[in-house]
Amino acid sequence: MRIMVGIPTLDNVYWKFFLHTVPLIAKLKTNHLVSLCCVNRCAIDRARDITVEIAFKKDCDRILFIDDDTLIPDDTFEKLNPLLDDDKILSASGISYQRGHPFLPMVYKFKDFKFENIGPKWHSNQLIQWPDEPFRVSCNGMGVSLLDVHKMRDIPKPCFSRNGPGTEDFFFYEKVAAMGYEAWVDPSVKATHIGNRSEVTCENHSEFRRESVLKDAQLVEDEGSGRGMVMEAVL
């Protein structure tokens, strides 16, 4: 199988990303024909589109997107690829949590999976509970995502854009749904969202959320509003 590993990068990439990701790519190369596309100093939507264009030219079968701030399990491909055997599934992804408040999982489900039901507060569509088995979503963060390149040819171009609600991921998955394809997530593929001072995982995300809420409460108190305030959050 021909796999395009797409890693959109900015100028400064955390050193731990390279130590973690290079062996993973080397492992893939033992069983597959692997190409690497690292688009640098480019808007994220354009970087993803460039990766798709090159995957088309190289006649790849799969695109594995790995964001440069995301550590993915070394068996990610082996777990996600079987989902793409379904003719309806174009995208298979893992679970990754936000690196900032409210530190929630970047998986979203709209009513009836329809984007017209996204509503004015699209964050309210984030899932915080899910089954143990792979499940369907409306869209998800693409820091750890595997795409079927053959099905991608049906998606109107550009595939990605910052126009519209949310990020380039939302723009893409709305097109995926419009073409009759589906996006699924395997919750056993647990990624780590990294930064210079944080590593948000599926196990410790609630600690980051609790700390963030406490800091917000302290700021309110420090402002000396003269009245009490009750702050509620999903902890």
Side-chain angles (χ1 to χ4, degrees):
M1 183 172 288
R2 293 181 179 271
I3 305 170
M4 170 65 71
V5 177
I7 307 176
T9 63
L10 297 176
D11 290 331
N12 297 314
V13 180
Y14 191 36
W15 60 268
K16 190 172 288 188
F17 174 82
F18 294 106
L19 291 182
H20 180 90
T21 306
V22 170
L24 184 149
I25 296 175
K27 176 186 173 185
L28 277 179
K29 288 179 67 69
T30 61
N31 297 309
H32 306 281
L33 296 174
V34 178
S35 299
L36 182 61
C37 181
C38 296
V39 182
N40 184 251
R41 297 186 180 183
C42 186
I44 184 64
D45 52 338
R46 183 58 188 140
R48 294 201 192 281
D49 264 326
I50 290 173
T51 303
V52 172
E53 293 166 7
I54 297 176
F56 286 165
K57 292 178 180 178
K58 288 183 170 291
D59 293 323
C60 292
D61 302 295
R62 301 286 186 266
I63 295 174
L64 176 60
F65 274 122
I66 309 173
D67 283 359
D68 66 359
D69 61 356
T70 303
L71 307 182
I72 72 173
D74 62 2
D75 59 353
T76 292
F77 181 83
E78 289 77 12
K79 286 188 173 181
L80 296 182
N81 191 51
L83 290 173
L84 300 182
D85 290 338
D86 189 311
D87 291 340
K88 292 183 179 180
I89 300 178
L90 183 148
S91 169
S93 302
I95 296 285
S96 182
Y97 280 73
Q98 294 165 321
R99 203 174 60 186
H101 186 78
F103 299 97
L104 291 175
M106 293 182 287
V107 287
Y108 305 81
K109 180 181 178 181
F110 312 136
K111 182 180 179 182
D112 299 326
F113 298 99
K114 294 182 178 179
F115 273 74
E116 56 262 34
N117 295 328
I118 188 172
K121 297 181 179 180
W122 52 270
H123 283 295
S124 63
N125 299 287
Q126 285 177 273
L127 298 177
I128 58 174
Q129 293 181 324
W130 45 74
D132 294 331
E133 300 299 319
F135 59 95
R136 184 183 174 189
V137 297
S138 297
C139 59
N140 53 260
M142 298 189 71
V144 48
S145 295
L146 186 68
L147 308 180
D148 187 319
V149 177
H150 306 292
K151 297 167 188 170
M152 285 288 294
R153 294 183 183 275
D154 296 332
I155 305 300
K157 308 304 179 290
C159 295
F160 300 92
S161 174
R162 301 289 287 189
N163 295 327
T167 61
E168 82 286 349
D169 315 0
F170 282 74
F171 183 91
F172 170 67
Y173 283 111
E174 184 170 10
K175 288 194 170 188
V176 169
M179 296 306 297
Y181 290 115
E182 299 176 0
W184 282 62
V185 165
D186 185 336
S188 71
V189 179
K190 300 177 181 180
T192 299
H193 210 170
I194 63 173
N196 289 330
R197 289 179 289 181
S198 66
E199 293 187 13
V200 183
T201 69
C202 293
E203 290 73 33
N204 69 11
H205 62 90
S206 61
E207 299 173 17
F208 282 97
R209 189 181 309 121
R210 184 177 294 106
E211 181 179 347
S212 178
V213 170
L214 291 175
K215 285 182 179 179
D216 285 347
Q218 184 64 51
L219 287 174
V220 171
E221 182 179 343
D222 290 345
E223 288 176 357
S225 61
R227 57 182 181 180
M229 177 175 289
V230 176
M231 301 190 68
E232 296 181 349
V234 179
L235 295 177

